[in-house]
PDB file of all heavy atoms in Angstrom:
ATOM      1  N   ALA B 824     -24.020  39.094 -10.687  1.00 98.00           N
ATOM      2  CA  ALA B 824     -24.478  39.996 -11.750  1.00 98.00           C
ATOM      3  C   ALA B 824     -25.116  39.189 -12.884  1.00 98.00           C
ATOM      4  O   ALA B 824     -26.141  39.563 -13.450  1.00 98.00           O
ATOM      5  CB  ALA B 824     -23.309  40.835 -12.265  1.00 98.00           C
ATOM      6  N   ALA B 827     -28.528  38.121 -12.176  1.00 98.00           N
ATOM      7  CA  ALA B 827     -29.504  39.200 -12.385  1.00 98.00           C
ATOM      8  C   ALA B 827     -29.968  39.242 -13.839  1.00 98.00           C
ATOM      9  O   ALA B 827     -31.093  39.653 -14.127  1.00 98.00           O
ATOM     10  CB  ALA B 827     -28.902  40.545 -11.967  1.00 98.00           C
ATOM     11  N   ALA B 833     -31.490  41.920 -16.280  1.00 98.00           N
ATOM     12  CA  ALA B 833     -30.809  43.175 -15.958  1.00 98.00           C
ATOM     13  C   ALA B 833     -29.785  43.535 -17.026  1.00 98.00           C
ATOM     14  O   ALA B 833     -29.190  42.671 -17.655  1.00 98.00           O
ATOM     15  CB  ALA B 833     -30.105  43.043 -14.599  1.00 98.00           C
ATOM     16  N   LYS B 834     -29.612  44.843 -17.221  1.00 98.00           N
ATOM     17  CA  LYS B 834     -28.584  45.343 -18.156  1.00 98.00           C
ATOM     18  C   LYS B 834     -27.403  45.932 -17.395  1.00 98.00           C
ATOM     19  O   LYS B 834     -26.284  45.956 -17.893  1.00 98.00           O
ATOM     20  CB  LYS B 834     -29.179  46.432 -19.063  1.00 98.00           C
ATOM     21  CG  LYS B 834     -30.337  45.935 -19.923  1.00 98.00           C
ATOM     22  CD  LYS B 834     -29.820  45.295 -21.206  1.00 98.00           C
ATOM     23  CE  LYS B 834     -30.966  44.934 -22.152  1.00 98.00           C
ATOM     24  NZ  LYS B 834     -31.070  43.496 -22.363  1.00 98.00           N
ATOM     25  N   GLN B 835     -27.713  46.467 -16.201  1.00 98.00           N
ATOM     26  CA  GLN B 835     -26.647  47.032 -15.357  1.00 98.00           C
ATOM     27  C   GLN B 835     -26.828  46.500 -13.935  1.00 98.00           C
ATOM     28  O   GLN B 835     -27.965  46.382 -13.468  1.00 98.00           O
ATOM     29  CB  GLN B 835     -26.734  48.556 -15.319  1.00 98.00           C
ATOM     30  CG  GLN B 835     -26.681  49.206 -16.675  1.00 98.00           C
ATOM     31  CD  GLN B 835     -26.520  50.708 -16.544  1.00 98.00           C
ATOM     32  OE1 GLN B 835     -25.455  51.231 -16.776  1.00 98.00           O
ATOM     33  NE2 GLN B 835     -27.579  51.379 -16.152  1.00 98.00           N
ATOM     34  N   VAL B 836     -25.714  46.220 -13.273  1.00 98.00           N
ATOM     35  CA  VAL B 836     -25.820  45.614 -11.943  1.00 98.00           C
ATOM     36  C   VAL B 836     -24.798  46.213 -10.975  1.00 98.00           C
ATOM     37  O   VAL B 836     -23.650  46.471 -11.338  1.00 98.00           O
ATOM     38  CB  VAL B 836     -25.605  44.082 -12.022  1.00 98.00           C
ATOM     39  CG1 VAL B 836     -25.503  43.481 -10.614  1.00 98.00           C
ATOM     40  CG2 VAL B 836     -26.739  43.401 -12.785  1.00 98.00           C
ATOM     41  N   ILE B 837     -25.253  46.407  -9.744  1.00 98.00           N
ATOM     42  CA  ILE B 837     -24.342  46.607  -8.607  1.00 98.00           C
ATOM     43  C   ILE B 837     -24.388  45.315  -7.804  1.00 98.00           C
ATOM     44  O   ILE B 837     -25.465  44.893  -7.380  1.00 98.00           O
ATOM     45  CB  ILE B 837     -24.820  47.753  -7.690  1.00 98.00           C
ATOM     46  CG1 ILE B 837     -24.746  49.083  -8.411  1.00 98.00           C
ATOM     47  CG2 ILE B 837     -23.973  47.794  -6.418  1.00 98.00           C
ATOM     48  CD1 ILE B 837     -25.425  50.194  -7.620  1.00 98.00           C
ATOM     49  N   ALA B 838     -23.235  44.697  -7.616  1.00 98.00           N
ATOM     50  CA  ALA B 838     -23.182  43.480  -6.799  1.00 98.00           C
ATOM     51  C   ALA B 838     -22.357  43.773  -5.565  1.00 98.00           C
ATOM     52  O   ALA B 838     -21.258  44.323  -5.666  1.00 98.00           O
ATOM     53  CB  ALA B 838     -22.566  42.331  -7.596  1.00 98.00           C
ATOM     54  N   ALA B 850     -18.713  45.570  -6.842  1.00 98.00           N
ATOM     55  CA  ALA B 850     -18.301  45.871  -8.212  1.00 98.00           C
ATOM     56  C   ALA B 850     -19.526  46.207  -9.044  1.00 98.00           C
ATOM     57  O   ALA B 850     -20.658  45.869  -8.668  1.00 98.00           O
ATOM     58  CB  ALA B 850     -17.549  44.700  -8.825  1.00 98.00           C
ATOM     59  N   LEU B 851     -19.299  46.895 -10.159  1.00 98.00           N
ATOM     60  CA  LEU B 851     -20.383  47.308 -11.071  1.00 98.00           C
ATOM     61  C   LEU B 851     -20.231  46.558 -12.392  1.00 98.00           C
ATOM     62  O   LEU B 851     -19.109  46.332 -12.853  1.00 98.00           O
ATOM     63  CB  LEU B 851     -20.304  48.813 -11.341  1.00 98.00           C
ATOM     64  CG  LEU B 851     -20.239  49.728 -10.116  1.00 98.00           C
ATOM     65  CD1 LEU B 851     -20.109  51.184 -10.570  1.00 98.00           C
ATOM     66  CD2 LEU B 851     -21.492  49.550  -9.272  1.00 98.00           C
ATOM     67  N   TYR B 852     -21.373  46.221 -12.980  1.00 98.00           N
ATOM     68  CA  TYR B 852     -21.340  45.427 -14.218  1.00 98.00           C
ATOM     69  C   TYR B 852     -22.308  45.993 -15.246  1.00 98.00           C
ATOM     70  O   TYR B 852     -23.344  46.560 -14.908  1.00 98.00           O
ATOM     71  CB  TYR B 852     -21.707  43.965 -13.914  1.00 98.00           C
ATOM     72  CG  TYR B 852     -20.712  43.300 -12.996  1.00 98.00           C
ATOM     73  CD1 TYR B 852     -20.856  43.394 -11.608  1.00 98.00           C
ATOM     74  CD2 TYR B 852     -19.616  42.607 -13.504  1.00 98.00           C
ATOM     75  CE1 TYR B 852     -19.929  42.820 -10.751  1.00 98.00           C
ATOM     76  CE2 TYR B 852     -18.682  42.027 -12.661  1.00 98.00           C
ATOM     77  CZ  TYR B 852     -18.842  42.138 -11.281  1.00 98.00           C
ATOM     78  OH  TYR B 852     -17.915  41.571 -10.441  1.00 98.00           O
ATOM     79  N   GLN B 853     -21.946  45.763 -16.519  1.00 98.00           N
ATOM     80  CA  GLN B 853     -22.864  46.068 -17.615  1.00 98.00           C
ATOM     81  C   GLN B 853     -22.909  44.880 -18.560  1.00 98.00           C
ATOM     82  O   GLN B 853     -21.881  44.225 -18.789  1.00 98.00           O
ATOM     83  CB  GLN B 853     -22.375  47.307 -18.388  1.00 98.00           C
ATOM     84  CG  GLN B 853     -22.866  48.599 -17.760  1.00 98.00           C
ATOM     85  CD  GLN B 853     -22.400  49.823 -18.517  1.00 98.00           C
ATOM     86  OE1 GLN B 853     -21.342  49.817 -19.120  1.00 98.00           O
ATOM     87  NE2 GLN B 853     -23.207  50.869 -18.478  1.00 98.00           N
ATOM     88  N   MET B 860     -22.305  39.554 -18.361  1.00 98.00           N
ATOM     89  CA  MET B 860     -22.026  40.733 -17.545  1.00 98.00           C
ATOM     90  C   MET B 860     -20.515  40.969 -17.480  1.00 98.00           C
ATOM     91  O   MET B 860     -19.755  40.056 -17.170  1.00 98.00           O
ATOM     92  CB  MET B 860     -22.565  40.523 -16.132  1.00 98.00           C
ATOM     93  CG  MET B 860     -24.033  40.822 -16.021  1.00 98.00           C
ATOM     94  SD  MET B 860     -24.286  42.597 -16.235  1.00 98.00           S
ATOM     95  CE  MET B 860     -26.063  42.674 -16.204  1.00 98.00           C
ATOM     96  N   LEU B 879     -22.659  54.808 -13.069  1.00 94.00           N
ATOM     97  CA  LEU B 879     -23.735  54.328 -13.941  1.00 94.00           C
ATOM     98  C   LEU B 879     -24.961  55.213 -13.783  1.00 94.00           C
ATOM     99  O   LEU B 879     -25.178  55.807 -12.729  1.00 94.00           O
ATOM    100  CB  LEU B 879     -24.111  52.880 -13.589  1.00 94.00           C
ATOM    101  CG  LEU B 879     -23.023  51.813 -13.698  1.00 94.00           C
ATOM    102  CD1 LEU B 879     -23.571  50.453 -13.265  1.00 94.00           C
ATOM    103  CD2 LEU B 879     -22.480  51.741 -15.114  1.00 94.00           C
ATOM    104  N   ILE B 883     -30.622  50.283 -12.618  1.00 98.00           N
ATOM    105  CA  ILE B 883     -29.567  49.391 -12.135  1.00 98.00           C
ATOM    106  C   ILE B 883     -30.195  48.357 -11.208  1.00 98.00           C
ATOM    107  O   ILE B 883     -30.958  48.696 -10.300  1.00 98.00           O
ATOM    108  CB  ILE B 883     -28.487  50.152 -11.339  1.00 98.00           C
ATOM    109  CG1 ILE B 883     -27.980  51.362 -12.142  1.00 98.00           C
ATOM    110  CG2 ILE B 883     -27.320  49.230 -10.997  1.00 98.00           C
ATOM    111  CD1 ILE B 883     -27.031  52.233 -11.346  1.00 98.00           C
ATOM    112  N   CYS B 884     -29.840  47.116 -11.431  1.00 98.00           N
ATOM    113  CA  CYS B 884     -30.290  46.051 -10.539  1.00 98.00           C
ATOM    114  C   CYS B 884     -29.226  45.842  -9.467  1.00 98.00           C
ATOM    115  O   CYS B 884     -28.036  45.786  -9.777  1.00 98.00           O
ATOM    116  CB  CYS B 884     -30.513  44.770 -11.344  1.00 98.00           C
ATOM    117  SG  CYS B 884     -31.089  43.398 -10.344  1.00 98.00           S
ATOM    118  N   VAL B 886     -27.715  43.513  -6.370  1.00 98.00           N
ATOM    119  CA  VAL B 886     -27.770  42.120  -5.895  1.00 98.00           C
ATOM    120  C   VAL B 886     -26.758  41.883  -4.778  1.00 98.00           C
ATOM    121  O   VAL B 886     -25.751  42.581  -4.671  1.00 98.00           O
ATOM    122  CB  VAL B 886     -27.493  41.125  -7.047  1.00 98.00           C
ATOM    123  CG1 VAL B 886     -28.550  41.246  -8.133  1.00 98.00           C
ATOM    124  CG2 VAL B 886     -26.106  41.325  -7.630  1.00 98.00           C
TER     125      VAL B 886
END
Side-chain angles (χ1 to χ4, degrees):
Chain B
K834 299 275 186 244
Q835 303 190 105
V836 171
I837 294 170
L851 308 178
Y852 297 87
Q853 274 180 330
M860 278 292 175
L879 300 178
I883 309 174
C884 181
V886 298

